[in-house]
Structures are given as structure tokens and as C-alpha cells.
Amino acid sequence: MADKPQMKPWIEKIHAYVPGKSKGADGRELIKLSANENPLGCSEAALAALAEPAEPARYPDPDSTGLRAKLGQVHGIDPARIVCGTGSDELLNLAAQAFAGPGDEVLYARYSFVVYEIAARRCGATPVEAPDVDYATDVDALLEAVTDRTRVVFLANPNNPTGTYLPRAEIERLHAGLPGDVLLVVDQAYGEYLAQGEDDGAMALAAAHDNVLVTRTFSKIYGLAGERIGWATGAPHLVDALNRIRGPFNVTASGQKAAIAGLDDQAFVARSREENRRELTRFAEAIAGMGNHGLRAIPSKANFLLVLFEGRLTAEAALAALAEGGYAVRHLPGQGLPQALRITIGTARHMDEIAELLRRAAEAA
């Protein structure tokens, strides 16, 4: 008999999530471009809402009623088909927990968001990774990996950490190829960074079908990562399942107020999108100019760029050079990307300085 409580074997296999660093090895504070936060912060309207403190002795609205109503208004969705969570991470975990368990499989593409594997293992399901095609999701590979044990398919679009994107036709093809009892979860954490009018069609699929759930977050373009607010939409029975097992007061009162204010300030969202597009384009061009040194960027639709180091300059050496220059970016060997750095798009000054630091390191390698 064991002399202490034993964790379940599927929990023991989980490698805890490692957040992006903000300090150097010597403890020095660095400019943090490792967590895909909005360099513009959040909107003034959201800041004003946060400046009006909620009554701390009172529980928040357990159903996020006002926030769901505002989300429904902005996105044209029945609020009854929306559920809010502590960031979209909670909702991703709940989706796996509600529809998969021991003996089941949870499927996703190689180089997907690390939380998908954690969500699968957390509920005792088996994580299954489908092959990629040059760091992008391969719909054919996903469909070939589906078995009679598949219960959930996770798809980030745009994808984290690669920034790659599947267009509407590919999303529709993936959905059409899945059995009706398999849940397709489309994680649109970076969806607001797409160009105006660009749409992968997942929201429409979630409105029309019983097996599609779309998740979003206020942590990225809305700049409210510290408040931990996410939401999901899908068929009523999917929303009901997540409501049954989510935390009863999972979104704070201040978070709900700030998110509502942020939704009312779409001018801030548009400005964040445009500034990101401009700096992402410039930085990608700068990396392309270092192609003779073996640097290559994966085309991105998000607010970061995955830079591959395929020449003499290694990702580890580049990481050290950037830290020495004052910047923290994300190295992801634990996700099978020891040869790459994921670099959040910051301000124009940030990106110019990072490009120069990388250029010097490449020339010195």
C-alpha cells in the first residue's frame, strides 16, 4: 500500500505549462516579447472600467450575463450560445474534459498550442499528433489520423506557435471529413489579427452544426491578459456541457467590466490590428534579408513570427544575443522546435532593434 496519495498515471505524464520569460539568466528585467501580449496595452475604455473597482466582498455574476450580451451584439450570436471562461485555456480544457476521457483520443496537428496535449492528458485521454506540412496544419494528415476512438480535434487558426493559417475551404473540408460525434474545436485566440473581411468560416460552422466549438480570448488583441477572460460559442448542448463543469464564478467582476468596455472600443482593436500588420510585415522582410545566414520566417497571420535558424547561427545563440540586448523571446525546444524562436511583434523600435541584434549575431556566427 502506498504511503502517500498517488496522482493518476495520465496526470503524471503532463509536463506543466512553461510561460514566456521576462528576465534574463542573471535576473535582469527584459523587454518581454515572449508571450504574444499587445504592445499597445489595452484600450483607455478598458482601463477606465478597471479603475472603477468592483465590490470585492461580492461574487461576480456567475453567468457573465452582460459580457455574453455584448459579445452577442458585436458578433451577431445568440448569447445563450456563448459561455465565458478564465481565459480560453479553461474552455479548451473543459471541451476535452466534457467529451473525452480514458480510452479516447484527442487529435491536433504537430506544432500546435501546447495546451492541447495538456487538456488531453488531464482528462485521461490519449493525445494524438498528426504530421505537419512545413510547420503548417495538414488537413489530410488530420483526417487520416482520425480513428473510432477520436472524440475531440483541436485546431488553432491562426496557429500558435507557428502563425500559420487555414482558409475557409480547408476548415470546411476538415469539418466535412469528421464523423458527427467528433467535436471540432477551432481556437481563434489570434482571430482578431486577421485582415478585415478575412474569415475562416468557423463561426458559421459553429452556428450551423452540432459538433463545432469556437474559442476566443481577450488576452491578445484586447490587451487584457492579466484579467484572464475567454469565451466560446457553439450549439446549445456544447455550451450546456461546458457550463456544467466550469468554475461557478470563473470570470471576475472587474474582468467582465473591462471586457465589455474593450468590446465597445473597436477603434483600439482596429489600431492594434493595423500596427501589428505593419510591424509584422517589416520584421518578416528584415528576416528574409538574412536568408543568406540561414534565417527563415514562417508566414504568420498572428502577432508573432516564428523564426527558424537553419545556418551557423543557432536558436540558442540568437536567444542569448537577444537577451544580452535586452529582449526576452520564446524558445520552444519542448514543442519540438529547438531550431526556432517565436518573437512577439512589438513596437517599431523593438522590431528594428531585434532585427539589428539578429543581423549582428548572424554575421558573427
Side-chain angles (χ1 to χ4, degrees):
M1 180 179 295
D3 61 355
K4 59 184 177 182
Q6 302 294 304
M7 72 176 76
K8 292 296 185 182
W10 52 85
I11 299 297
E12 196 170 14
K13 292 179 181 178
I14 292 175
H15 297 286
Y17 180 82
V18 179
K21 294 181 179 180
S22 59
K23 293 183 178 181
D26 57 0
R28 180 169 49 104
E29 289 287 343
L30 303 176
I31 296 170
K32 187 183 177 187
L33 296 181
S34 59
N36 302 338
E37 296 156 333
N38 189 337
L40 303 183
C42 66
S43 79
E44 291 295 330
L47 281 176
L50 288 169
E52 300 175 2
E55 174 53 61
R58 303 292 182 186
Y59 285 109
D61 174 7
D63 298 317
S64 300
T65 307
L67 176 54
R68 290 190 299 109
K70 179 59 68 173
L71 284 164
Q73 175 187 331
V74 170
H75 293 280
I77 301 170
D78 180 356
R81 296 173 66 100
I82 296 173
V83 55
C84 295
T86 309
S88 56
D89 286 6
E90 181 192 18
L91 301 168
L92 296 169
N93 276 283
L94 294 178
Q97 183 181 349
F99 297 99
D104 297 330
E105 294 176 348
V106 172
L107 176 62
Y108 49 89
R110 183 185 296 150
Y111 309 128
S112 290
F113 187 30
V114 68
V115 164
Y116 303 157
E117 179 184 356
I118 294 174
R121 295 193 186 280
R122 184 176 174 182
C123 66
T126 301
V128 177
E129 192 176 82
D132 67 298
V133 53
D134 194 23
Y135 301 93
T137 299
D138 184 336
V139 169
D140 291 320
L142 278 174
L143 292 174
E144 288 173 9
V146 173
T147 72
D148 58 3
R149 296 199 300 159
T150 305
R151 293 292 173 266
V152 179
V153 176
F154 282 118
L155 173 72
N157 205 42
N159 184 53
N160 175 23
T162 64
T164 55
Y165 176 73
L166 285 182
R168 176 189 289 259
E170 286 294 275
I171 300 289
E172 291 175 346
R173 187 165 72 88
L174 172 61
H175 176 256
L178 293 176
D181 65 346
V182 172
L183 175 65
L184 173 61
V185 181
V186 183
D187 174 0
Q188 294 185 337
Y190 301 91
E192 288 91 354
Y193 282 104
L194 297 176
Q196 285 286 74
E198 194 169 17
D199 180 12
D200 68 7
M203 288 284 193
L205 287 175
H209 298 277
D210 290 334
N211 67 333
V212 181
L213 188 75
V214 176
T215 65
R216 286 205 175 187
T217 183
F218 284 86
S219 296
K220 303 308 176 185
I221 206 166
Y222 284 97
L224 292 170
E227 293 300 314
R228 308 306 300 126
I229 316 149
W231 62 283
T233 183
H237 73 282
L238 300 180
V239 170
D240 175 60
L242 270 59
N243 273 322
R244 288 170 185 259
I245 56 176
R246 67 174 173 82
F249 301 99
N250 56 345
V251 183
T252 66
S254 60
Q256 291 180 41
K257 288 171 51 182
I260 291 170
L263 286 165
D264 278 332
D265 191 355
Q266 290 299 310
F268 173 80
V269 173
R271 180 162 67 91
S272 296
R273 180 189 304 115
E274 178 55 28
E275 293 202 15
N276 178 76
R277 183 202 61 77
R278 182 176 61 250
E279 296 311 320
L280 175 65
T281 299
R282 287 199 321 115
F283 186 54
E285 290 172 350
I287 296 299
M290 300 179 221
N292 59 323
H293 292 293
L295 276 66
R296 176 165 73 98
I298 301 300
S300 174
K301 294 271 190 178
N303 69 334
F304 57 84
L305 199 64
L306 187 73
V307 180
L308 305 177
F309 294 83
E310 300 171 327
R312 296 183 61 173
L313 177 64
T314 66
E316 291 87 350
L319 182 71
L322 291 177
E324 180 64 25
Y327 287 92
V329 299
R330 194 71 183 269
H331 188 212
L332 296 165
Q335 287 185 248
L337 292 165
Q339 77 285 23
L341 297 178
R342 191 194 67 188
I343 302 174
T344 302
I345 301 304
T347 65
R349 178 179 67 83
H350 294 154
M351 305 324 295
D352 286 344
E353 289 181 356
I354 286 177
E356 180 61 18
L357 287 167
L358 289 175
R359 184 187 64 77
R360 291 178 185 173
E363 291 176 348

